[in-house]
Amino acid sequence: MRPLTGAAGDKSYRCPGCDQEIRPGTPHVVTWPAYARDSDLDPWDTESAADLRRHWHRICWDSRLRRR
C-alpha cells in the first residue's frame, strides 16, 4: 500500500471499495499484492504483480474489512 497525494495525477481511477471515480488530483492509496495469486511467479516478483494495482479512496481502504 502506498499513499498518494494526487498532486501529479492526471488520470481517473475507479475505487473498488465504493465503485466511484477517483478524479485526478484526489489523494488516495494504491495497493498491490506482494505476488500474484495462483501463479508461478516468485513471491518477491512485485514488478509482475504491479499489473494488479488498485487505486482506493483512503476511507474505503481503511474500512474494507468491515464491509465483508
Side-chain angles (χ1 to χ4, degrees), residues 27-60:
H28 63 284
V29 296
V30 179
T31 64
W32 61 93
Y35 57 94
R37 266 189 225 175
D38 301 326
S39 76
D40 295 329
L41 294 176
D42 180 333
W44 304 109
D45 188 1
T46 56
E47 214 170 284
S48 298
D51 294 338
L52 302 173
R53 286 183 301 219
R54 297 294 176 260
H55 296 253
W56 293 71
H57 293 110
R58 180 63 192 224
I59 191 78
C60 294

